[in-house]
Amino acid sequence: MGVVTRGFVGRRDPATANLPPGQYLTPDFPVLSAGPTPRIELDQWRFSVTGETGSEHGWTWQELLELPSKQPIVDIHCVTKWSKLGTRWQGVPLDTLLEPVQTQASYALVRSYGGYSTNLPLADLRGGKAWIAYRYDGKDLPAEHGGPARLLVPHLYFWKSAKWVRGIELHNEDMPGFWETMGYHSYGDPWREQRYAGD
Ligand SMILES: Nc1nc2c(c(=O)[nH]1)N[C@H]1C(S)=C(S)[C@@H](COP(=O)(O)O)O[C@H]1N2
Ligand SMILES: [Mo]
């Protein structure tokens, strides 16, 4: 028996280097939904961005698909402590959808079919950090994971990535969404472990 090397102090295990504090890795893709899965017919589906003055920009399903898309590969972190690394998506960057929108607002309230909502600073939807995703791992996004389309904003805890996304309202003040009203953090940075209000 040789001496077991426990690793060098201060050197991070490459397998967990991308794991925020308090998280564990899962190979699965758990489904977390606060209510039943809504079914939205594609010819009824709309996505809209509503400015703080009430002006609205809307897209049909066909119009969304015609916009240039990206294929981000990102790590996702649920506040219930599972993380999944290297998930593969396809979707339209929010930068593209916000481009025609004239706004002075600083906050976004994201609304879903089915009634879910979540809030975040508008800046967190810009800069290539957020997408309206409609494919996962090379397939159409399954309904239980938010299909036909969900918000994907992986640098925040995954409750911010609203499934069955319907629209984004822009506001001058931060408006708490579903979980934020129940005591979860208004921002939710996994690297700063912002799980609950006050963290
Ligand atoms: N509309 C809607 N979006 C939602 C939720 C929800 O209940 N309803 N749950 C959130 C939470 S807590 C998490 S962890 C992720 C889970 O996404 P998944 O079911 O695809 O893993 O979706 C988020 N988006
Ligand atoms: Mo979650």
Side-chain angles (χ1 to χ4, degrees):
M1 288 289 268
V3 176
V4 177
T5 305
R6 300 298 307 269
F8 300 104
V9 174
R11 185 162 165 188
R12 301 197 65 183
D13 177 351
T16 57
N18 295 324
L19 207 53
Q23 298 292 112
Y24 66 86
L25 285 175
T26 177
D28 308 327
F29 193 175
V31 172
L32 275 101
S33 304
T37 296
R39 305 278 160 172
I40 306 108
E41 298 299 327
L42 293 183
D43 59 0
Q44 300 292 309
W45 187 92
R46 295 286 184 283
F47 174 76
S48 65
V49 177
T50 309
E52 72 276 26
T53 60
S55 67
E56 189 171 307
H57 289 76
W59 293 263
T60 64
W61 183 251
Q62 201 53 47
E63 288 166 342
L64 182 81
L65 294 194
E66 283 166 9
L67 293 172
S69 67
K70 298 276 189 199
Q71 298 193 23
I73 299 175
V74 296
D75 303 340
I76 55 181
H77 311 291
C78 175
V79 74
T80 64
K81 302 197 169 178
W82 58 266
S83 289
K84 188 170 176 61
L85 306 184
T87 62
R88 305 164 67 91
W89 304 81
Q90 183 178 347
V92 176
L94 261 297
D95 299 287
T96 304
L97 296 159
L98 291 168
E99 220 239 347
V101 179
Q102 297 281 326
T103 182
Q104 304 294 317
S106 297
Y107 296 98
L109 181 65
V110 185
R111 291 194 183 277
S112 294
Y113 291 96
Y116 186 85
S117 60
T118 188
N119 57 294
L120 69 169
L122 180 54
D124 287 80
L125 293 176
R126 299 192 193 272
K129 297 194 294 285
W131 302 265
I132 299 298
Y134 49 78
R135 285 174 74 79
Y136 173 75
D137 215 14
K139 301 187 195 79
D140 290 346
L141 183 60
E144 68 269 25
H145 286 301
R150 76 182 298 164
L151 179 63
L152 175 65
V153 52
H155 69 286
L156 301 177
Y157 279 124
F158 207 35
W159 89 77
K160 301 286 182 179
S161 293
K163 304 198 280 189
W164 318 297
V165 67
R166 177 165 68 86
I168 295 176
E169 297 172 6
L170 306 181
H171 293 283
N172 294 320
E173 282 111 51
D174 203 5
M175 315 263 293
F178 179 82
W179 286 117
E180 295 83 3
T181 305
M182 314 260 260
Y184 283 83
H185 200 278
S186 70
Y187 186 63
D189 179 352
W191 294 97
R192 289 186 280 166
E193 264 204 282
Q194 294 174 335
R195 299 178 192 275
Y196 306 102
D199 282 352

